[in-house]
Amino acid sequence: MFTSKSVAVCVSVLTSGSAALAQSPQFGQSIEPADIAAWDISIGPDGAGLPPGRGTAIEGEAIYVAKCQACHGDRGIGPSVVLAGALVGGMGTLAPDKTPIKTVGSYWPYATTLFDYVRRAMPFQESKSLTADEVYAVTAYILDLNGMVGSNDVIDAQSLPKVRMPNRDGFIPFPRNPK
Amino acid sequence: MVGKTHPEPGDPAAGNGILSRRIFLEGALVAGATSAGLSRGSAEPLTVQPWMKVPGPGFGGYGQPSPFESKVIKVFPPPPNPAGVGASRTPLHMLEGMITPSGLHFERSHSGVPEIDPDQHRLVIHGLVKRPLVFTVEALSRYPMQSRIAFIECGGNSQALNAPQAQPLNVAAIHGLLGCSEWTGVRLSTLLDEAGIEPQARWVIAEGADAAAMSRSIPLAKAMDDALLCLYQNGERVRPSNGYPVRLLLPGFEGNMNVKWLRRLKLTADPAMTKDETSKYTILLKDEKAWQFVFPMEVKSVITRPSPGLTLRGPGFYEISGQAWSGNGSIRQVDVSADGGRSWAPAALQGPILPKAPVRFRAAWQWNGGPAVLQSRATDDTGMMQPTRAQFGDERGLRGVYHYNAIASWRIDEKGEASNVYV
């Protein structure tokens, strides 16, 4: 049985312990999810985070010609900016002993990545300037050039994650990552 | 007689003139290392130079390298690419020790270097957390800090060595996407604990405040292990080209994941599959499959001196110097060869030997003036040894672009010129 004295000692130990905890620094300010919305531009491969809006390849062509073609080339082939890369073609070039041409069509596993990336980073000189409809439309256009959707298919938050990319199963985990 | 007038032959430790590392370990005389063929002659009479006769200029607010060192600069390709895309490379052949001067630390940026006002910068932690939180830079600066010396190597470093024919490139052009700093900042785990991690969280999507909003998915385990939010680089605030005002450091992991200009951390159950973890930084293997999420930069080394552009001045003694590093731990041993890998001898390792930090290695070499192929081969404390180019290619092929870590070779010709070769 504890004596009342030893209980008192325990209590005082606990009190000073929690006082120390209270001193551990907490300098973050809380924020409501709604107030993060303007920054929360990540799109998951399941489509989580895709905004309202819609577009078709037919609508996207004009946007591509005006805002992308100068660097990425006519119909996504033959980019003038080397690092920009081709966005179209290269099908079959992942095969053994071929020189791979990795494009959205030949290599990318998820169509959602295209929306995510174009919205955050393109057009290069004025990123984040396209509306959601424009991003859907130019995404649809690049997918259409690669033969993954039809020119009149409506691409939106429901249909985009369902676009099956040919190299969807092309990736395997690296066997030597730290546990 | 006092002292030795004739040095004794050095201890050959491997073929084609590699001497014992004893001279580094014991500070012994360079026994047997002569400068035969190099006529030393006698020196000119000494005169008093002009800078000893008048006072030099006064103080400056921020020190600069000597104007005579103006060739020690980063290299980067000229346009046609838009400014700020691609990379600038560290001139490894002109540097020594383990630390990269901040102004010479390589940079890979995807949409230029943003000019960020630290008072307006914010870092948000959200997603699968109990309390979404926002931090100012001032708030981050109030947490208990930690320093560590760590390398950052771009996943695309040394990719030129995948080319079927050896390219006429120097060490900066091939291996210059490597830098090492003393990084100081706040442990990421401290802030994630403050936000309160939901049990379903497995990944952290890290995003930069550059125009590309570069983003990568990072395993939560790494974030909780040794990830650091860096505010300082080599004692001063992180340079803009390296992520000012705050960057992520994931010791040992591929450079691209060490997100610069960090503005957002979103905890999720699954990775986001961003452009830079699907289209890029994945390794296409010999068959049609590609490795995805290749995190550690595996054990590697490179000889920085001699190397292309640093011509040897006649036969005689040379120090072979280079860097070795591993994203999986500490360097245990570096071997060097002067005969293209037929024979090897251990190099001296310059302390401190730290995990996930480069080690300077040194070997003594008596060049006989004939052809030689210099190589270095590192082993880390997990026991992993750098593969030969053939072993590397056997495992994964040479189409993978990223994470090239095979043994590299410099050929030295009779003129003393070094060039990149495959053996």
Side-chain angles (χ1 to χ4, degrees):
Chain A
M1 270 289 269
F2 288 117
T3 65
S4 60
K5 196 177 167 197
S6 72
V7 169
V9 168
C10 286
V11 168
S12 85
V13 166
L14 281 176
T15 316
S16 62
S18 64
L21 262 185
Q23 282 161 17
S24 79
Q26 307 241 324
F27 300 125
Q29 297 170 285
S30 59
I31 182 165
E32 291 303 314
D35 294 331
I36 303 171
W39 278 29
D40 188 4
I41 54 176
S42 298
I43 312 293
D46 57 357
L50 279 170
R54 55 166 300 289
T56 64
I58 301 257
E59 295 156 1
E61 179 170 9
I63 300 162
Y64 183 86
V65 170
K67 302 198 164 175
C68 321
Q69 186 165 296
C71 297
H72 289 283
D74 184 24
R75 299 174 68 82
I77 299 169
S80 65
V81 170
V82 181
L83 270 172
L87 303 178
V88 175
M91 304 302 181
T93 64
L94 306 184
D97 300 323
K98 293 215 165 145
T99 301
I101 300 170
K102 296 187 258 178
T103 73
V104 173
S106 69
Y107 197 62
W108 290 33
Y110 299 99
T112 47
T113 305
L114 186 56
F115 185 99
D116 174 288
Y117 181 67
V118 171
R119 183 169 66 157
R120 71 176 58 235
M122 291 291 142
F124 187 84
Q125 309 290 14
E126 40 177 359
S127 66
K128 304 173 196 69
S129 60
L130 301 183
T131 64
D133 284 351
E134 288 172 321
V135 180
Y136 278 117
V138 78
T139 297
Y141 179 65
I142 294 166
L143 293 173
D144 179 25
L145 289 174
N146 279 297
M148 259 126 259
V149 304
S151 322
N152 285 308
D153 290 359
V154 171
I155 296 301
D156 60 15
Q158 278 68 48
S159 58
L160 183 64
K162 296 198 190 103
V163 175
R164 174 87 190 172
M165 302 297 274
N167 197 39
R168 169 72 184 79
D169 298 325
F171 296 87
I172 56 173
F174 178 59
R176 294 195 293 270
N177 275 332
K179 289 287 161 307
Chain B
M1 269 189 85
V2 180
K4 292 180 193 162
T5 48
H6 300 288
E8 288 159 9
D11 315 339
N16 209 4
I18 298 289
L19 306 179
S20 162
R21 63 178 166 174
R22 272 195 318 133
I23 69 164
F24 298 105
L25 303 178
E26 297 161 16
L29 279 174
V30 186
T34 66
S35 34
L38 181 81
S39 165
R40 275 181 293 181
S42 31
E44 297 282 309
L46 299 175
T47 59
V48 179
Q49 294 98 337
W51 50 82
M52 287 206 70
K53 297 177 183 170
V54 289
F59 305 111
Y62 198 96
Q64 299 296 321
S66 159
F68 295 96
E69 297 299 317
S70 60
K71 291 202 176 94
V72 185
I73 49 173
K74 290 185 274 193
V75 286
F76 46 92
N81 281 315
V85 186
S88 73
R89 290 157 182 275
T90 299
L92 294 172
H93 53 300
M94 297 194 267
L95 302 177
E96 252 297 335
M98 73 192 297
I99 300 284
T100 311
S102 301
L104 295 175
H105 194 292
F106 86 90
E107 45 185 316
R108 168 75 173 103
S109 58
H110 294 261
S111 195
V113 176
E115 196 173 285
I116 296 177
D117 174 351
D119 292 339
Q120 290 180 45
H121 186 77
R122 296 290 181 273
L123 171 66
V124 63
I125 298 179
H126 71 125
L128 294 175
V129 293
K130 298 193 169 64
R131 293 169 296 281
L133 293 174
V134 172
F135 300 86
T136 62
V137 175
E138 197 269 327
L140 292 175
S141 305
R142 292 179 64 192
Y143 284 88
M145 295 206 197
Q146 230 180 45
S147 295
R148 85 174 283 170
I149 295 174
F151 76 82
I152 296 180
E153 182 185 18
C154 176
N157 199 25
S158 317
Q159 65 177 271
L161 298 186
N162 288 299
Q165 306 299 325
Q167 305 294 304
L169 299 170
N170 74 357
V171 67
I174 300 173
H175 305 286
L177 300 178
L178 169 75
C180 174
S181 299
E182 185 203 38
W183 300 101
T184 302
V186 184
R187 287 186 73 120
L188 177 51
S189 61
T190 304
L191 303 187
L192 294 180
D193 282 341
E194 183 175 331
I197 302 168
E198 296 284 9
Q200 320 89 284
R202 292 286 174 278
W203 293 81
V204 182
I205 304 167
E207 180 181 271
D210 55 326
M214 222 290 300
S215 71
R216 286 294 305 261
S217 308
I218 289 144
L220 181 61
K222 179 69 173 177
M224 295 304 287
D225 177 19
D226 59 359
L228 205 59
L229 300 185
C230 304
L231 299 162
Y232 295 87
Q233 176 183 11
N234 297 329
E236 63 182 356
R237 289 281 178 173
V238 172
R239 291 287 173 94
S241 53
N242 284 294
Y244 181 85
V246 54
R247 81 166 302 160
L248 186 58
L249 176 74
L250 303 175
F253 275 24
E254 122 184 308
N256 182 255
M257 301 176 73
N258 294 249
V259 175
K260 301 191 279 190
W261 315 294
L262 189 69
R263 77 157 190 171
R264 189 162 74 94
L265 294 163
K266 182 177 189 179
L267 279 71
T268 56
D270 298 301
M273 302 294 176
T274 70
K275 173 264 218 181
D276 285 298
E277 59 206 25
T278 54
S279 170
K280 303 291 187 283
Y281 302 103
T282 47
I283 298 179
L284 182 63
L285 302 170
K286 279 189 286 194
D287 59 13
E288 283 167 285
K289 298 289 178 198
W291 280 334
Q292 191 185 22
F293 298 117
V294 184
F295 299 136
M297 298 308 296
E298 295 189 317
V299 63
K300 186 163 168 182
S301 67
V302 60
I303 293 172
T304 54
R305 210 161 28 86
S307 68
L310 306 176
T311 305
L312 304 184
R313 298 170 184 217
F317 174 81
Y318 290 92
E319 180 187 285
I320 295 171
S321 168
Q323 286 199 324
W325 63 99
S326 167
N328 285 315
S330 303
I331 291 298
R332 192 166 70 194
Q333 182 165 335
V334 180
D335 301 305
V336 293
S337 172
D339 54 13
R342 274 193 292 278
S343 63
W344 298 90
L349 302 185
Q350 175 87 67
I353 298 173
L354 303 170
K356 303 170 188 179
V359 171
R360 177 63 54 178
F361 64 86
R362 304 178 193 285
W365 183 40
Q366 180 71 23
W367 183 43
N368 63 14
V373 174
L374 303 183
Q375 296 186 330
S376 63
R377 177 181 75 183
T379 306
D380 69 18
D381 62 358
T382 71
M384 194 181 289
M385 182 191 273
Q386 228 184 318
T388 63
R389 189 164 184 277
Q391 290 166 337
F392 180 88
D394 281 349
E395 188 196 18
R396 64 177 83 175
L398 293 167
R399 305 192 298 166
V401 182
Y402 304 101
H403 288 246
Y404 186 96
N405 76 325
I407 294 169
S409 311
W410 302 132
R411 193 179 108 89
I412 311 290
D413 66 16
E414 285 89 341
K415 286 187 254 137
E417 274 163 21
S419 56
N420 173 38
V421 292
Y422 301 150
V423 293

